[in-house]
């Protein structure tokens, strides 16, 4: 198989494998003829249909399988290359992968999009329609899961030996309906019609134990030995998904584990007529991989979540050890062949699990086992919020994972002895550093376990990493300064520019060539073109057409006619109070009230777009969604007078972001400074020519540094000022009293104007702002409103605005996930690029 040398040539590839007698061209060829032939074969032999009788679903599956054939050929070669060269591999453990759709992305990455388009046209099928049929693989809640997906893309594109591990949730993040303004959750049946990309590997299934007891005795070697016995066993079955690199032959693997019962059902009970009890074990076991992140407000939910975390970690560790033992016998070499990255605290139990395998099963002595474990693990922290730092009741651990609790206690005992030696009699320090939080309910601190059990601890933006060391884990940073480092997040330009924004991709490539897709720093060549009137005109036209496309889509799906000439002001992200969708909503009410009094106060027409899902048990977040929809109903009723429109787009997901981001003018990144670890939506918007309206929070700081102060709309308190305001005794009611526009907006909301069916509906939101205002919404309102006015004035001068937008794209190269992964690979994992040959 030939492979194009230039990324620019990828969409136009006509490569064929006819010269390789070991491969079937209908399964490997990238030219239209072989793609068409492969497609028709799958229609007949995989779907059992004639082309004339095939349904749209049959056609989608047939094309996806034809693409998978081409991936499979490279997949096999990639696995062989890694095995023969005995490479060190990076293993990414994440409870979330927000993958989105795969068909279009795979077509782009392996260079057969245009060939597939032509092949489908020849058989009377529209490729775009097939792409739209694919459900989003929504195995994540937000940025954490999408980051994991971007990282997998970059690992393969840069030809690093890497593998992702996670859970094959039967139901991903819920489907969101908006009914009478409220969020209503429905199960996300993404597997309802099957998944053409995955291959099940039952022969690599892993048995996972829960509950039971620990027996201690002396081993044959005379050393103490622990055996975890009894309890229940669940089987983890791996499903493998190919992850294709862009413009190369590398296809890495995402292995997702599905839970199955060790016994399908009790035949004796079934034959005796007790049908319900006969399948109870099957149901209890398989619920583990049933749904993404159960609501853990109740004890059963907490237990299930911990079960999920241990289940996929135990399966993954067993798989990693099995692979190592295929070629090695001495575990002292383990860190030289395996680097395991913990994506937040969800997989932190892996530290205790690897120790259990080493000490109990492989009979390594404790000190040697722990040294190997520390040298193997790296931990990425994704939050500064104390409530997001996972802690599990020790009683739950003792019941569910008794051996792991013993191991954690032993790790803690030895660690605290080190602390005591270094800081004698500093009992407060020992209490703060302990892996066990003492109190009315003893809890295990998973972040502490991850830090102690790893050789690297990284934040995900310069500010976040700094605050992590200074405010969140100062004692650990003092004790292990060499472990703490920063790896600013990034996003893959293949999905978030090449695939999502083909018009801009074509324009960029026409001016600077196509190499930028794998070397995003090349976008800097666009900076001088900001002064080129012809390029500015073409750039503005691309944005206008993208806005028109989005307006048409939202007209058809949401029955709302949006003005594509207005500023598209967008806030799409997970709904959480610290992200401050409420600040945005308050400003819209204030702006609308001003426009009602005098329409001339509206400098430029504005479309405010929201997209967000609130956790099912998060009452305040769901109430904010209801408020935004109430505001939308009122504001849109006289949009012709005020020039303002508001739309909450239901069921925000990756494929929807792919439509919205290229059409955005203003990117709302308005979290309270010091609260957002990084953000990646801010990077996607910047890459697509949106201007950021934001605080100095997370990666906003680095975006502003990259693009320059004049091309970023900054407002609000800094992280240090937020802390100072709170320490000084922040009184939000004073902000309410001194700001007339803010007071009017809050009073209107509190009066029930936006909820006539329930006058007191939004009173809890207003009362919370006046009473505590934990995220300083009121403190930043005046600054935010003033900056929004500046945004509107800047937009009126389209030449200046377009120049700023071009410069945002030109300086976005640093935010490629390729840069991030290269830093992980070189500085933490020590893995080397391993190109896969023809």
């Amino acid at each position: 198989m030939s492979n194009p040398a230039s990324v620019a040539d990828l969409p136009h590839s006509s490569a064929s494998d006819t010269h390789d007698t070991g491969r079937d061209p209908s399964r490997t060829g990238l030219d239209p003829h072989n793609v068409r032939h492969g497609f028709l074969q799958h229609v007949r032999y995989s779907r059992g249909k004639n082309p004339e009788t095939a349904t749209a679903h049959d056609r989608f599956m047939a094309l996806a399988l034809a693409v998978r054939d081409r991936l499979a050929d490279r997949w096999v070669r990639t696995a062989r290359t890694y095995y023969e060269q005995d490479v060190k591999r990076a293993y990414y453990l994440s409870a979330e992968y927000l993958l989105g759709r795969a068909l279009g992305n795979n077509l782009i990455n392996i260079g057969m999009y245009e060939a597939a388009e032509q092949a489908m046209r020849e058989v009377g099928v529209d490729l775009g329609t097939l792409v739209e049929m694919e459900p989003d693989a929504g195995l994540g809640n937000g940025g954490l899961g999408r980051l994991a997906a971007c990282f997998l893309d970059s690992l393969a594109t840069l030809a690093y030996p890497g593998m992702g591990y996670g859970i094959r949730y039967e139901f991903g993040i819920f489907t969101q309906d908006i009914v009478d303004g409220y969020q209503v959750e429905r199960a996300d049946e993404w597997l309802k019609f099957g998944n053409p990309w995955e291959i099940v590997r039952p022969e690599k299934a892993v048995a996972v134990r829960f509950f039971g007891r620990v027996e201690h005795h002396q081993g044959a070697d005379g050393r103490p030995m622990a055996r975890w016995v009894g309890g229940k066993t669940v089987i983890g079955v791996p499903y493998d998904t190919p992850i294709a690199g862009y413009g190369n032959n590398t296809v890495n693997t995402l292995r997702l584990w599905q839970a199955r019962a060790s016994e399908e059902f009790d035949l004796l009970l079934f034959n005796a007529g007790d049908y319900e009890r006969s399948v109870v074990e099957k149901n209890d076991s398989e619920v583990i991989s049933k749904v993404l992140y159960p609501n853990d407000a109740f004890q059963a939910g907490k237990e299930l979540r911990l079960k999920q975390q241990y289940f996929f970690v135990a399966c993954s560790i067993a798989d990693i050890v099995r692979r190592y033992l295929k070629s090695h016998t001495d575990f002292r070499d383990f860190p030289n062949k395996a680097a395991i990255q913990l994506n937040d605290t969800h997989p932190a139990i892996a530290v205790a699990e690897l120790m259990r395998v080493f000490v109990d099963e492989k009979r390594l002595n404790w000190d040697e086992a722990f040294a190997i474990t520390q040298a193997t693990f790296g931990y990425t922290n994704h939050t500064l919020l104390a409530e997001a730092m996972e802690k599990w009741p020790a009683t739950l651990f003792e019941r569910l994972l008794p051996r792991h609790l013993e191991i954690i206690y032993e790790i803690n005992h030895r660690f605290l002895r080190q602390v005591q030696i270094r800081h004698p009699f500093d009992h407060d320090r020992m209490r703060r550093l302990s892996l066990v939080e003492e109190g009315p309910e003893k809890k295990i601190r998973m972040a502490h376990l991850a830090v102690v059990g790893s050789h690297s601890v990284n934040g995900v933006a310069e500010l976040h990493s700094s605050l992590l060391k200074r405010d969140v884990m100062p004692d650990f940073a003092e004790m292990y300064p060499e472990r703490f480092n920063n790896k600013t997040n990034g996003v893959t330009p293949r999905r978030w520019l090449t695939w999502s924004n083909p018009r801009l991709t074509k324009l960029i490539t026409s001016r600077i060539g196509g190499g930028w897709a794998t070397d995003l720093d090349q976008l800097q060549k666009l900076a001088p073109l900001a002064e080129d009137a012809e390029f500015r005109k073409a750039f503005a036209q691309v944005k206008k057409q993208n806005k028109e496309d989005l307006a048409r889509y939202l007209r058809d799906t949401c029955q709302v006619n949006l003005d594509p000439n207005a500023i598209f002001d967008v806030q799409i992200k997970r709904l959480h109070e610290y992200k401050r969708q409420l600040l945005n909503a308050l400003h819209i009410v204030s702006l609308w009230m001003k426009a009602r009094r005098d329409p001339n106060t509206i400098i430029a027409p504005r479309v405010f777009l929201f997209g967000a899902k609130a956790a099912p048990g998060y009452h305040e977040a769901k109430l904010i969604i209801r408020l935004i929809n109430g505001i939308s109903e009122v504001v849109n009723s006289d949009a012709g007078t005020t020039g303002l429109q508001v739309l909450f787009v239901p069921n925000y997901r990756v494929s929807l972001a792919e439509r919205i981001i290229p059409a955005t003018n203003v990117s709302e990144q308005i979290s309270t400074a010091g609260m957002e670890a990084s953000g990646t939506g801010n990077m996607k918007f910047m890459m697509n020519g949106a201007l950021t309206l934001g605080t100095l929070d997370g990666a906003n700081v680095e975006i502003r540094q990259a693009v320059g102060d004049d091309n970023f709309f900054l407002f609000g308190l800094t992280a240090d000022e937020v802390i100072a305001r709170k320490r000084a005794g922040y009184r939000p009611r004073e902000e309410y009293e001194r700001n007339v526009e803010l007071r009017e907006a809050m009073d209107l909301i509190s009066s029930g104007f936006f909820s006539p069916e329930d006058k007191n509906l939004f009173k809890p939101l207003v009362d919370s702002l006046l009473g505590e205002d934990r995220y300083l919404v009121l403190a930043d309102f005046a600054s935010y409103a003033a900056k929004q006015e500046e945004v509107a004035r800047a937009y009126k001068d389209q030449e200046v605005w377009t120049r700023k937008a071009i410069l945002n794209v030109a300086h976005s190269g640093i935010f490629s996930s390729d840069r991030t992964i290269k830093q992980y690979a070189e500085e933490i994992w020590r893995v080397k690029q391993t190109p896969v040959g023809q």
Side-chain angles (χ1 to χ4, degrees), residues 77-97:
R77 281 184 281 147
T78 301
R80 184 190 302 128
T81 300
Y82 294 167
Y83 180 75
E84 290 176 349
Q85 296 187 25
D86 192 21
V87 296
K88 182 176 183 179
R89 310 184 196 213
Y91 296 108
Y92 200 75
L93 269 58
S94 178
E96 300 185 30
Y97 289 95

Side-chain angles (χ1 to χ4, degrees), residues 89 184 296 454 524 623 663 795:
R89 310 184 196 213
V184 176
D296 61 357
S454 302
Q524 292 175 0
L623 198 56
Y795 190 77

Side-chain angles (χ1 to χ4, degrees), residues 493-629:
R494 272 76 63 182
R495 181 177 289 267
W496 295 109
L497 191 48
T498 307
W499 169 249
S500 299
N501 201 341
R503 290 191 183 98
L504 185 56
T505 295
K506 185 177 180 181
L507 176 62
I508 292 170
T509 301
S510 72
R511 296 304 181 98
I512 68 170
W516 58 267
T518 51
D519 180 11
L520 207 61
D521 287 337
Q522 291 189 30
L523 291 183
Q524 292 175 0
K525 298 175 185 176
L526 295 175
L529 294 175
E531 305 306 320
D532 182 329
E534 181 187 344
F535 185 77
R536 285 201 305 273
K537 181 179 179 182
F539 187 95
Q541 181 64 21
V542 164
K543 182 66 73 173
K544 183 173 186 292
Q545 290 173 324
N546 289 341
K547 290 170 72 175
E548 289 170 349
D549 282 354
L550 179 61
R552 274 192 296 273
Y553 174 80
L554 294 175
R555 179 195 64 202
D556 294 341
T557 55
C558 299
Q559 291 74 53
V560 175
N561 287 308
L562 301 178
D563 177 9
N565 296 311
I567 302 171
F568 275 25
D569 184 320
V570 176
Q571 189 175 15
I572 47 174
K573 54 182 73 234
R574 184 167 56 89
L575 204 308
H576 193 288
E577 288 168 281
Y578 86 82
K579 295 178 185 286
R580 299 202 296 191
Q581 284 93 345
L582 191 52
L583 174 60
N584 193 346
L586 276 172
H587 172 253
I588 293 169
V589 173
S590 173
L591 200 63
W592 176 76
M593 293 177 77
K594 287 165 64 177
R596 290 282 292 177
R597 287 192 291 265
D598 180 7
N600 293 323
T601 60
I602 301 301
I603 300 168
R606 187 86 66 114
V607 169
F608 294 96
L609 290 176
F610 293 86
K613 290 180 179 177
Y618 193 171
H619 174 73
E620 293 81 1
K622 296 176 85 167
L623 198 56
I624 291 169
I625 290 176
R626 173 64 185 86
L627 173 61
I628 292 168
N629 282 301

Side-chain angles (χ1 to χ4, degrees), residues 346-527:
H346 310 130
I349 188 64
V351 172
E353 173 63 8
L354 189 57
M355 284 296 293
R356 185 191 69 79
V357 171
F358 283 161
V359 174
D360 294 357
E361 295 182 4
K362 307 304 178 186
R363 300 298 288 148
L364 274 64
N365 70 63
W366 182 277
D367 290 337
E368 183 179 33
F370 197 64
I372 295 170
T373 296
Q374 283 184 315
T376 301
F377 281 113
Y379 162 52
T380 301
N381 174 279
H382 282 280
T383 184
L384 295 166
L385 303 181
E387 64 268 26
M389 296 282 195
E390 282 191 314
K391 300 173 188 175
W392 294 107
T395 52
L396 176 59
F397 245 101
E398 188 173 29
R399 193 164 55 86
L400 196 65
L401 303 170
R403 178 55 181 148
H404 295 77
L405 184 62
E406 289 184 349
I407 290 170
I408 290 169
Y409 281 160
E410 183 65 19
I411 292 172
N412 195 43
H413 170 72
R414 292 171 181 245
F415 166 65
L416 290 181
R417 181 61 180 144
Q418 295 176 23
V419 177
Q420 188 180 43
I421 292 169
R422 188 177 296 191
H423 303 280
F425 313 114
D426 191 343
H427 299 295
D428 281 344
R429 182 183 296 265
M430 291 181 67
R431 176 184 51 79
R432 294 193 303 267
L433 285 169
S434 176
L435 276 59
V436 181
E437 180 181 274
E438 303 291 347
E441 184 180 39
K442 187 182 290 187
K443 293 183 178 179
I444 307 302
R445 296 162 162 163
M446 301 307 287
H448 290 208
L449 175 63
V451 172
V452 172
S454 302
H455 69 278
S456 169
V457 179
N458 71 279
V460 290
E462 286 181 2
L463 177 63
H464 169 238
S465 296
S466 174
L467 295 176
L468 184 66
K469 290 188 289 185
R470 191 192 75 182
D471 298 340
V472 181
M473 294 181 168
D475 296 316
F476 280 111
E478 182 185 340
M479 188 156 184
Y480 301 125
E482 73 288 350
R483 289 189 192 181
F484 283 78
N485 60 92
N486 175 61
K487 299 289 174 282
T488 298
N489 285 341
V491 301
T492 167
R494 272 76 63 182
R495 181 177 289 267
W496 295 109
L497 191 48
T498 307
W499 169 249
S500 299
N501 201 341
R503 290 191 183 98
L504 185 56
T505 295
K506 185 177 180 181
L507 176 62
I508 292 170
T509 301
S510 72
R511 296 304 181 98
I512 68 170
W516 58 267
T518 51
D519 180 11
L520 207 61
D521 287 337
Q522 291 189 30
L523 291 183
Q524 292 175 0
K525 298 175 185 176
L526 295 175

